Amino acid sequence: MNRPADNTLRIALSDAGISRRDFLGFCATLAAAYALPASSVIVIAAALENASRTSVIWLSFQECTGCTESLTRSHTPTIEGLILEQVSLDYHHTLQAASGEAAERAREESMRANAGKYLLVVDGSVPLGNPGYSTIAGVSNFDMLMETAKGAAAVIAVGTCAAYGGLPAAQPNPTGAVPVSQLIKDKPVINVPGCPPIPVVITGVLAHFLTFGTLPELDGRGRPTIFYGESIHDRCYRRPSYDQGKFAESFDDEGARKGWCLFKLGCKGPVTHNACATTKWNNGVSFPIQSGHGCLGCAEPDFWDMGSFYKALSMPATPVRKAVAGAAAAGVGAGVAVAFANRAKKAAAKAAHETVKVEDLTKKP
Ligand code: FSX
């Protein structure tokens, strides 16, 4: 899992057959996300290549392993994977070779040797309903989180489960699942939601720490604004057809074939903040909307309880004209019927539809 200390990322990239051009492309993506000028690409590249190793302890609680899969999804080396290797990943439930008592000793040793300096990454939610619902080495998720967080410099909650509760917390939340931020109050908690999160977003947060020695700026929901500052809708390539009132009405109609807006088919892009429309997936190949399916809203709190992935956020009585769409995007508009009720208030989850103001749904945290 760990490379020798004298083995730099520069050598690892070369060994993995990743070209300088591809690596600089990755750094350019980060520079754009960090809103830095093009001239900073070389600075980021140099900093990453020579970054000192940061100790990372990664705990997995109630989750599906999709977050780790996302990061290590490829069987060929990726820049994201190599960035992960650039840190000293001292303990990771899924990736570590050690098991049993040796694995637990590695966690304790890392906590002791790097006290106050290590990053704690958590994926999955924490069950409070009964500590015995989820245990590792006989230790409840709650106890392991609190014990490991004590000496961490910061905690990164990776995935919607860790950030907001996610699927385990979906109603009726049988395990009493809670997100990390509900339990850790005495140090920074950075939420990196998405079910799963985009690999480059996970590594982008780590790379920010390796490059600048700091964590990125966060929004009101604890997410890095560099990746979650805009909605999918803001940057969607189908946005012009939304503005023109051109909607696919079914997945196989003429509008769908022409690539029109998927809003009426349940796309949650207007209320979902993530970088899918810009960084895309699979090394920038595509993202769900580009594949003809609406956004599910997986990076938002309570997305499992929205009622239906295929229920439209609103059904305008008349085609959305540019001025109206512009007003909606700006957060100024009349009330609309929505199925994303939990976004506005939890208590409305049982109702499939509720009238709320557009600004409640589109405002940025
Ligand atoms: Fe949750 Fe992640 Fe979804 Fe799965 O670790 S965010 S269910 S992709 O695996 O926690």
Side-chain angles (χ1 to χ4, degrees):
M1 200 157 30
N2 298 330
R3 299 197 318 275
D6 59 350
N7 197 355
T8 64
L9 181 64
R10 187 197 310 267
I11 293 170
L13 289 165
S14 158
D15 287 351
I18 291 174
S19 70
R20 178 86 184 148
R21 185 189 183 88
D22 286 346
F23 178 58
L24 289 178
F26 172 79
C27 295
T29 301
L30 294 182
Y34 300 161
L36 293 173
S39 56
S40 66
V41 171
I42 297 297
V43 177
I44 292 173
L48 277 178
E49 284 175 328
N50 300 303
S52 62
R53 300 161 76 79
T54 297
S55 179
V56 172
I57 297 177
W58 187 312
L59 304 177
S60 297
F61 298 142
Q62 293 194 127
E63 45 84 37
C64 77
T65 314
C67 299
T68 294
E69 271 302 321
S70 175
L71 195 55
T72 59
R73 74 208 177 284
S74 173
H75 50 270
T76 57
T78 62
I79 297 175
E80 288 93 333
L82 290 170
I83 294 290
L84 189 61
E85 287 187 27
Q86 183 68 3
V87 300
S88 180
L89 193 51
D90 294 332
Y91 181 89
H92 186 300
H93 289 144
T94 310
L95 301 180
Q96 67 197 1
S99 60
E101 290 174 2
E104 290 314 300
R105 269 201 307 276
R107 180 174 65 90
E108 289 157 11
E109 171 58 24
S110 179
M111 284 165 54
R112 195 162 43 78
N114 305 291
K117 291 184 286 190
Y118 60 87
L119 288 179
L120 172 59
V121 179
V122 180
D123 61 2
S125 60
V126 182
L128 295 188
N130 177 337
Y133 282 144
S134 179
T135 63
I136 296 159
V139 181
S140 72
N141 291 170
F142 174 79
D143 286 343
M144 187 173 280
L145 173 66
M146 302 313 278
E147 178 187 304
T148 315
K150 227 178 270 173
V155 183
I156 304 176
V158 166
T160 300
C161 298
Y164 303 131
L167 174 59
Q171 293 185 16
N173 191 355
T175 66
V178 298
V180 171
S181 60
Q182 196 169 312
L183 302 172
I184 305 296
K185 299 291 184 188
D186 60 347
K187 54 192 62 192
V189 176
I190 298 96
N191 289 330
V192 184
C195 187
I198 304 169
V200 72
V201 172
I202 303 173
T203 48
V205 173
L206 291 174
H208 194 284
F209 191 77
L210 293 172
T211 305
F212 304 112
T214 59
L215 292 161
E217 180 195 57
L218 307 180
D219 68 15
R221 288 203 165 100
R223 306 174 289 199
T225 53
I226 51 178
F227 294 111
Y228 298 90
E230 293 178 288
S231 72
I232 304 291
H233 189 59
D234 287 337
R235 303 300 297 270
C236 181
Y237 75 102
R238 296 192 191 219
R239 177 63 184 266
S241 61
Y242 174 90
D243 291 343
Q244 294 162 19
K246 293 178 177 173
F247 299 103
E249 303 281 346
S250 72
F251 285 107
D252 57 357
D253 69 1
E254 188 195 357
R257 280 191 290 279
K258 286 184 172 172
W260 288 354
C261 179
L262 301 169
F263 184 74
K264 290 188 178 181
L265 297 176
C267 181
K268 305 300 183 292
V271 294
T272 303
H273 295 82
N274 204 349
C276 300
T278 46
T279 64
K280 302 191 180 176
W281 287 78
N282 300 323
N283 291 327
V285 171
S286 186
F287 72 116
I289 293 170
Q290 195 172 337
S291 303
H293 195 286
C295 165
L296 300 181
C298 80
E300 294 295 326
D302 304 314
F303 85 100
W304 282 102
D305 290 327
M306 71 177 77
S308 168
F309 290 148
Y310 300 100
K311 187 83 73 180
L313 284 171
S314 70
M315 297 297 288
T318 55
V320 178
R321 300 192 195 291
K322 194 163 188 172
V324 177
V332 182
V336 293
V338 297
F340 211 81
N342 271 349
R343 176 74 191 271
K345 54 181 181 177
K346 184 92 175 176
K350 287 180 187 159
H353 292 79
E354 187 183 35
T355 300
V356 298
K357 290 190 186 322
V358 159
E359 53 264 40
D360 289 333
L361 296 167
T362 57
K363 73 181 174 194
K364 288 175 184 168

